[in-house]
Amino acid sequence: MPRLLFVLCGLLLFAYSSRLHAQDSLYVVCGDTLSYRYTPIDTVRMEMSSMIGDTLPAKGETPKKNFLRKVIDYFGESSTDKTFEKKIDFTFIGGPNYSKETELGLGVMAAGLYRLDRTDSVTAPSDVSIYATASTAGFYKIGVSGNNIFRANRNRITYDLSFASQPTDYWGIGYVAGAHNPKSSYVDKRYKAEIRYLHQLVSNLYIGASIEAQYINGIKFDRIEYIEGESTSNMATGIGAILEYDSRDFIPNPYRGVYVSLEAQWLPKFLGSLDKGLWHTTFTVSGYTRVWKDAILASELYSECNAPTTPWSMLARMGGSRRMRGYYEGQYNDNYMITLQAEIRQRIWRRIGVVAWGGAGNVFHCFNDFKWDQTLPNYGIGLRWEFKKRVNIRIDYGFGKKTSGFLFNINEAF
């Protein structure tokens, strides 16, 4: 009886396997030998291939991938950490973008992660971003920025180099001008190069220096009187001292940690076109913590202070892609600016996440001129896609007082 059952099972197996391309094999049980032919098939691969149009190769051939499969595989592999295998792990992406200031544009960007010491698994990887974009409004910008982290976080070099030309709107200097003046326009051209060096004194505490060179030129003014008789162009070089506490686990997209930074910069007259030497300081406090599964609460207080005689083109400007998102960058500008924001970042499925934030900001000429009723509100929502390991493409829609706008960028806002 057992032998009969075995033979029947063997016949059924033979009938099924005869439908497939054959491969010889032997199966021996209790002295009986059954010879059958079969071909193993990865059913999951067949289903996925049929869904995206791939063609399964014949035996011995190299699998052929269509364009969609190549794209899926490319970005599927981009979210894994390959910094221990490669000198630098680059991922490229391009596509349309839109912002209130630049309108519809087309951009290309590349994000790279690398380790100066690939045997060091404790130190966070260094990062670099390269980008180029142009828009229908006549805007274009190219640049490179990044953080170079040495072994055990003992030293860091941060850099940002960019060139931009942008037809932009302008309302004049100060809160009252931004709120009530008729809108004008001009073309803003900016060259910027900044390098910061930090050395670790004790755990998470750094001291360092910075140097920044910039050239700003405004042309084609509708209302030249809005700059109050100042020069349309300025060139300046700043030398700064930095004190920082930084326990963030990964600078472009922290999941935990605290960041406190105080930077004071001196801009001497002889290193530019300024009428006299200036000073400039920034103070930043931000924190990051997990509040529930896959959700990060991020918050930031930021202040910027400039000397009373700072030129119009170098004043603190509210708005842009990092703070007070949704406001037209530069509509509100003055010597001093304070902003506060808090954001919930929630991963919802695999590499896709959403954010929601709220905040407020104020610009003023001096501390005696600060007015609570001139504080501007800010809130918004956003979509995140992790196209590289912990490096996000972000799309934000921000709201403010009588304003709103889309933003498309790389890395978190803060």
Side-chain angles (χ1 to χ4, degrees), residues 212-215 233-238 266-278 311 314:
E212 178 181 359
Q214 57 180 320
Y215 172 71
S233 64
N234 291 284
M235 183 171 63
T237 302
W266 175 50
L267 296 85
K269 177 181 177 180
F270 64 88
L271 289 180
S273 63
L274 304 174
D275 294 333
K276 59 178 65 177
L278 303 175
M314 298 171 61

Side-chain angles (χ1 to χ4, degrees), residues 55 66 95 113 119 153 175 206 212 245 268 296 309-310 320 339 348 413:
T55 302
N66 64 15
L113 298 176
T119 64
N153 263 328
Y175 172 85
Y206 298 84
E212 178 181 359
Y245 176 86
I296 305 298
T309 55
T310 299
T339 65
I348 57 174

